[in-house]
Amino acid sequence: MTTAIAPKAETPPLLETCDLTRILQAVVPVTLVEDVSFTVGEAEFVAITGPSGSGKSSLLYLLGLLDRPTRGSVLIGGNETADLSSAEMAHLRLEKLGFVFQFHFLLPEFTALDNVMIPMQRLGKLPAKEQLDHATGLLADLGLEEFLHRRPEQLSGGQRQRVAVARALANSPDLILADEPTGSLDSAATEQVFESLQKIVDRERTTVVAVTHDMDLAARMERRIHLVDGRIDYDRRQ
């Protein structure tokens, strides 16, 4: 007698949106994002592009659970997020997501090392010594081992943004969400930050979804989701 082997359970996508819509309620309602559906898997490097006002940042804020949709859903690891409380969403962001914005938002009174350790301290999973070692390793991996004890004002723009990337990686997230991460940088610093993000995808197998207006950078990412008027115009691999 043979025993039937149960089919292997299919792993859900890392990130999935279903008919995601965000309408800003005003005297005349404004639709920021409308009926957006897509999935993103492990170790993808995805560009979100589109003209000004197309809903790129609004979409990223929905993906990062920084805003709630008017309708539709965001699933992370197959888990619906719509019914989570504000506290549950905050914990999920801290544990599973990392953020890099156009402006680094480093705390000016703390060193680069301290800034990277802050998310680990908030999550509280690692002992203090392991937090220190992990933060030191992240900064070293991004070429910042000489700048551990410098405050943001003592760093260049590209160095500050790479510290922000290290901070986004502090809790080993599954997904990094970046909103114009090179928008305020010169060409040399832009290349440094892009290479840092590419390294994260290639070596750490972490997924990066980045809003960018830089079409040269977008062309170097493996996939592009292009928005027009809050809707997906095309979603293609490059």
Side-chain angles (χ1 to χ4, degrees), residues 121-235:
Q121 292 166 349
R122 289 181 58 205
L123 188 60
K125 281 192 171 182
L126 295 178
K129 179 63 167 60
E130 290 184 33
Q131 292 178 17
L132 178 62
D133 291 345
H134 185 46
T136 301
L138 288 171
L139 288 165
D141 284 346
L142 295 173
L144 296 166
E145 60 271 22
E146 297 179 17
F147 307 102
L148 301 180
H149 303 294
R150 294 192 186 182
R151 292 190 298 276
E153 65 183 21
Q154 299 171 305
L155 301 172
S156 69
Q159 289 166 347
R160 288 193 291 265
Q161 201 65 326
R162 279 184 285 156
V163 174
V165 171
R167 181 183 58 187
L169 286 167
N171 289 327
S172 302
D174 298 321
L175 173 65
I176 297 287
L177 297 167
D179 191 6
E180 299 284 7
T182 63
S184 61
L185 304 178
D186 62 25
S187 58
T190 290
E191 185 63 23
Q192 290 175 341
V193 172
F194 177 83
E195 288 179 356
S196 297
L197 293 172
Q198 185 69 67
K199 182 188 293 186
I200 290 165
V201 176
D202 293 340
R203 191 173 67 188
E204 305 299 330
R205 308 296 294 168
T206 301
T207 294
V208 175
V209 176
V211 164
T212 183
H213 67 275
D214 188 326
M215 292 300 99
D216 290 335
L217 284 187
R220 295 167 63 186
M221 301 182 200
E222 67 182 72
R223 178 180 172 191
R224 186 188 305 189
I225 297 173
H226 189 77
L227 300 182
V228 175
D229 296 332
R231 288 177 169 267
I232 294 179
D233 182 46
Y234 61 81
D235 177 357

Side-chain angles (χ1 to χ4, degrees), residues 43-64:
E44 287 200 64
F45 199 177
V46 183
I48 298 178
T49 61
S52 179
S54 61
K56 302 185 298 297
S57 293
S58 297
L59 174 59
L60 200 77
Y61 275 59
L62 291 168
L63 300 181

